[in-house]
Amino acid sequence: MHFDIFTLFPEMFQGVFECSIIQRARQAGLVSIALHNIRDYAPGKHRVTDDVPYGGGGGMVMKPEPIWNAVEAVLGYDPTGRKDVPIILLSPQGRLFTHAVARELAQQPRLLLICGRYEGVDERVRRYLATDEISIGDYVLSGGEIPAMVLVDAIVRWAPGVLGDPDAPLDDSHASGLLEYPHYTRPAIYRGFEVPAVLRSGHHAEIARWRRQEALRRTHERRPDLLAHAPLTQADREFLAQLEREAAESAQTEL
Ligand code: SAM
């Protein structure tokens, strides 16, 4: 899959895209990423990319021409109003980026990501050029570069062949609708803190049961909202009911 990223600060991406999983995926030819400096597409000697807002007020707004020119040059056609390829504007006003959205976008062979700066981009970019708007959370960052990195990292994990063990992400938090169970590694005892005996028992069915119950326990404790949509078995429901009873009992004891 291929990403085209439009930014005023391409140098910000170097460290993130040049190590670990993303770098290996690029070297293996599974993923390619092209960084496009919006300033290179700004008309005029001074290559101005922002201007004061109409109507007054503080801050600067990113001009539409450099962004539009850049997207048009990279795609090779006028993208206005077309939906041939997803053109994603990173914005705190967009739909929230979740596990499900990452998987949805991972189906695309090509994605264009536009990183805003300052007060944001001219509204016409959002309305007539972008085909989608994505937010990485309910807070405001200084620019769309970090959100673009977040999208690329989360999406690349789902590209075929990128992770050594293709089943690994299936157990990850949110993939199955639950938070993942806790992990331990050697040593078995560290500073007196012991790894649960079941994980050292070699009993695969017991380990699987323990992991499922710990995933349910964590989700129940930390993100009970997820349980409403998680696919649950009868045994899961019984375990959750038991957790509810335990919680009610301990609340009674505290009174
Ligand atoms: N004035 C804008 C508003 O209130 O909606 C915020 C502009 S923000 C300072 C500058 C740029 O950072 C945005 O255009 C967007 O590209 C990016 N950005 C900031 N927060 C973001 C978030 N939570 N998710 C995605 N992009 C974000």
Side-chain angles (χ1 to χ4, degrees), residues 81-141:
R82 289 178 61 164
K83 295 190 188 299
D84 314 55
V85 51
I87 304 176
I88 299 171
L89 176 65
L90 282 317
S91 159
Q93 302 180 16
R95 62 183 176 130
L96 212 52
F97 189 56
T98 60
H99 171 80
V101 177
R103 290 212 71 175
E104 170 202 317
L105 296 176
Q107 307 301 313
Q108 298 287 344
R110 186 178 192 182
L111 293 172
L112 275 65
L113 307 178
I114 301 174
C115 306
R117 277 271 152 184
Y118 319 120
E119 280 304 319
V121 302
D122 183 287
E123 178 67 6
R124 288 163 290 187
V125 169
R126 187 192 72 75
R127 288 187 69 169
Y128 307 115
L129 178 64
T131 62
D132 198 353
E133 235 181 310
I134 292 187
S135 165
I136 62 159
D138 291 342
Y139 41 80
V140 172
L141 298 161

Side-chain angles (χ1 to χ4, degrees), residues 7-249:
T7 169
L8 287 173
F9 299 100
E11 63 276 15
M12 281 182 71
F13 293 83
Q14 279 163 9
V16 173
F17 289 171
E18 287 171 11
C19 57
S20 189
I21 289 174
I22 296 179
Q23 171 74 329
R24 283 205 302 276
R26 292 173 68 196
Q27 285 171 342
L30 300 168
V31 170
S32 54
I33 304 171
L35 295 166
H36 308 286
N37 192 334
I38 293 170
R39 195 172 302 285
D40 293 343
Y41 298 88
K45 190 168 137 221
H46 298 292
R47 300 206 174 275
V48 176
T49 59
D50 57 283
D51 208 334
V52 294
Y54 272 114
M60 299 298 272
V61 177
M62 284 180 74
K63 290 163 71 64
E65 314 95 295
I67 300 174
W68 227 288
N69 291 348
V71 172
E72 186 168 26
V74 166
L75 286 178
Y77 59 82
D78 178 4
T80 311
R82 289 178 61 164
K83 295 190 188 299
D84 314 55
V85 51
I87 304 176
I88 299 171
L89 176 65
L90 282 317
S91 159
Q93 302 180 16
R95 62 183 176 130
L96 212 52
F97 189 56
T98 60
H99 171 80
V101 177
R103 290 212 71 175
E104 170 202 317
L105 296 176
Q107 307 301 313
Q108 298 287 344
R110 186 178 192 182
L111 293 172
L112 275 65
L113 307 178
I114 301 174
C115 306
R117 277 271 152 184
Y118 319 120
E119 280 304 319
V121 302
D122 183 287
E123 178 67 6
R124 288 163 290 187
V125 169
R126 187 192 72 75
R127 288 187 69 169
Y128 307 115
L129 178 64
T131 62
D132 198 353
E133 235 181 310
I134 292 187
S135 165
I136 62 159
D138 291 342
Y139 41 80
V140 172
L141 298 161
S142 324
E145 286 75 14
I146 291 172
M149 294 174 205
V150 169
L151 260 67
V152 171
D153 192 303
I155 293 168
V156 159
R157 294 171 62 75
W158 291 102
V162 165
L163 295 185
D165 173 4
D167 290 339
L170 298 177
D171 269 347
D172 277 341
S173 294
H174 304 289
S176 66
L178 300 176
L179 302 182
E180 200 186 23
Y181 50 80
H183 294 280
Y184 292 88
T185 186
R186 281 176 285 209
I189 301 173
Y190 178 67
R191 297 189 184 217
F193 303 120
E194 211 168 323
V195 173
V198 62
L199 295 179
R200 294 180 280 144
S201 68
H203 195 302
H204 296 299
E206 279 301 305
I207 293 170
R209 198 168 82 98
W210 181 88
R211 286 182 166 163
R212 182 73 187 171
Q213 292 189 343
E214 288 307 303
L216 290 163
R217 188 191 305 279
R218 281 211 158 178
T219 313
H220 180 261
E221 275 169 14
R222 301 176 187 196
R223 291 291 306 277
D225 56 302
L226 297 178
L227 292 171
H229 305 288
L232 300 174
T233 64
Q234 184 56 29
D236 293 338
R237 290 184 194 287
E238 284 166 15
F239 183 71
L240 288 167
Q242 182 191 320
L243 292 180
E244 289 290 340
R245 282 194 299 276
E246 285 169 13
E249 275 164 28

